[in-house]
Amino acid sequence: MTETTPSFSPGDLEAEAQRQDTKRRWLLSLPALVIIVCAATGPLMVMVVYSFLTPGDYGNVKWEFSTDGWVNIFLQRDIFDDTLMWADAHLSIFWRSLSLSMITTVMTLIFGVPTAWFIATQPPGKREFWLFLITVPFWTNLLVRTIAIQELLRAEGVFNNILVFIGIIDAPIQLMFTNFAIAFGMTYVYLPLMVLPVYAAVDKLDFRLVEAAHDLYAGRWTAFRRVILPLIKPGIIAGSILVFIPSLGAYVTPRVLGGGKNLMFGNLIELQFGAGRNWPLGAALSLMLMAAVMVSLIWYVRVTSREQADG
């Protein structure tokens, strides 16, 4: 009897080659996947586990299951009868963080859109220079920039000296260690994060549409509201997300300019892992902040995807 060798069609050979190529790609990606799992997912899982444990006596945790870490985000127990009541201090910090982040976003939007428009309407040879000036602050450490702002806001600082020289005030006023100082500092720190995405949107704008709006007797405000704003809206949304998210978890600026009296979300988390010695609460707060960031990003993706589909 004669043996017959199996025959393979060209399609089978191509499929086998694709399987081998896919296997090779996965093997080459394996080191990066291990690093991602260990460096990103690993610490996140630690925070999830810690949030359901009991605080240790001197920090760390006890390996006893408890949901107090999540309950204590909004509630606290009375020291006398152990009844639950609203955690007013936490709620105050949450509201301060949310309000100051929104104020920072609005202020960077007010200053960022005209700045981005000015840069985008410059001759091509000069745009790089202005973009260079916008990115220069990123070359300096955040702590150094925040301390420099103190020279503007302190009692003998630039702002108070100007106000006294003009005659608006007779004596220096308290600007440092206030919510105003925190909002001012975060606006300065995060302004480039608003300017750059808005500039990218304005740079792609077809200015012939603006000229057409003026030819149809549209005023400047009408042309901005009906033509320019809808076209640069993705850049505004992206800039707002880039400013709002880091502002919500800001730590250095509120700590330096707030003087430890006006805590924000990031300072509250650090306090639980430090002097508060309540690691489960700190872990729960960290996960809550991450959830807020994820919700913001999902909302941004859905809005931009819907606009691209409509376009």
Side-chain angles (χ1 to χ4, degrees):
M1 296 179 64
T2 59
E3 295 182 357
T4 59
T5 58
S7 59
F8 297 96
S9 64
D12 294 336
L13 295 175
E14 184 178 355
E16 179 64 22
Q18 290 180 351
R19 284 193 293 269
Q20 293 297 329
D21 183 65
T22 302
K23 183 178 180 180
R24 191 182 308 110
R25 290 175 182 270
W26 276 105
L27 289 175
L28 292 174
S29 302
L30 186 60
L33 294 176
V34 171
I35 292 175
I36 291 175
V37 171
C38 295
T41 309
L44 178 61
M45 291 299 102
V46 171
M47 288 294 100
V48 173
V49 173
Y50 275 18
S51 67
F52 289 100
L53 296 179
T54 302
D57 295 330
Y58 303 100
N60 212 322
V61 294
K62 295 180 180 178
W63 290 91
E64 301 173 0
F65 178 80
S66 174
T67 58
D68 286 348
W70 290 95
V71 173
N72 291 338
I73 293 178
F74 299 104
L75 301 173
Q76 62 183 4
R77 296 188 181 277
D78 189 89
I79 60 176
F80 298 107
D81 54 10
D82 208 33
T83 58
L84 290 175
M85 63 182 66
W86 290 108
D88 295 334
H90 291 181
L91 296 178
S92 174
I93 292 174
F94 297 158
W95 171 247
R96 182 184 299 113
S97 301
L98 181 62
S99 59
L100 288 179
S101 298
M102 294 178 64
I103 291 173
T104 301
T105 304
V106 172
M107 294 305 296
T108 55
L109 187 63
I110 292 174
F111 291 104
V113 172
T115 302
W117 183 271
F118 170 79
I119 297 175
T121 53
Q122 292 298 302
K126 295 183 179 180
R127 296 178 189 176
E128 290 76 8
F129 170 74
W130 291 106
L131 288 174
F132 168 77
L133 294 181
I134 291 295
T135 57
V136 161
F138 286 118
W139 300 3
T140 307
N141 184 270
L142 175 60
L143 179 60
V144 175
R145 285 184 283 161
T146 305
I147 293 177
I149 296 175
Q150 290 183 325
E151 297 302 313
L152 299 176
L153 301 177
R154 63 189 180 90
E156 296 80 15
V158 175
F159 286 175
N160 272 310
N161 287 338
I162 292 177
L163 294 177
V164 171
F165 178 78
I166 296 176
I168 297 179
I169 58 176
D170 297 327
I173 59 178
Q174 179 65 33
L175 297 177
M176 282 292 297
F177 312 134
T178 62
N179 289 337
F180 168 79
I182 298 175
F184 179 84
M186 291 198 302
T187 299
Y188 163 72
V189 168
Y190 297 121
L191 181 60
L193 299 180
M194 177 66 74
V195 173
L196 295 178
V198 175
Y199 164 78
V202 176
D203 188 50
K204 296 186 296 183
L205 178 66
D206 189 352
F207 286 91
R208 292 177 299 179
L209 299 176
V210 181
E211 296 176 0
H214 290 310
D215 291 340
L216 295 174
Y217 303 102
R220 292 186 176 181
W221 169 246
T222 303
F224 175 79
R225 182 172 55 89
R226 300 292 296 273
V227 178
I228 299 174
L229 188 59
L231 294 177
I232 66 173
K233 185 178 178 181
I236 292 177
I237 295 176
S240 300
I241 293 294
L242 289 175
V243 171
F244 181 79
I245 289 177
S247 298
L248 197 61
Y251 170 76
V252 174
T253 304
R255 183 64 179 268
V256 174
L257 299 181
K261 298 188 300 181
N262 300 307
L263 299 180
M264 290 184 62
F265 214 117
N267 307 111
L268 179 61
I269 294 174
E270 185 272 338
L271 182 64
Q272 303 309 317
F273 285 101
R277 298 178 181 177
N278 193 339
W279 289 20
L281 177 57
L285 289 169
S286 302
L287 294 173
M288 181 180 173
L289 178 60
M290 187 191 69
V293 171
M294 291 181 61
V295 169
S296 301
L297 292 176
I298 292 173
W299 173 79
Y300 168 69
V301 170
R302 287 188 175 183
V303 168
T304 53
S305 300
R306 189 183 305 116
E307 290 181 351
Q308 290 177 358
D310 294 340

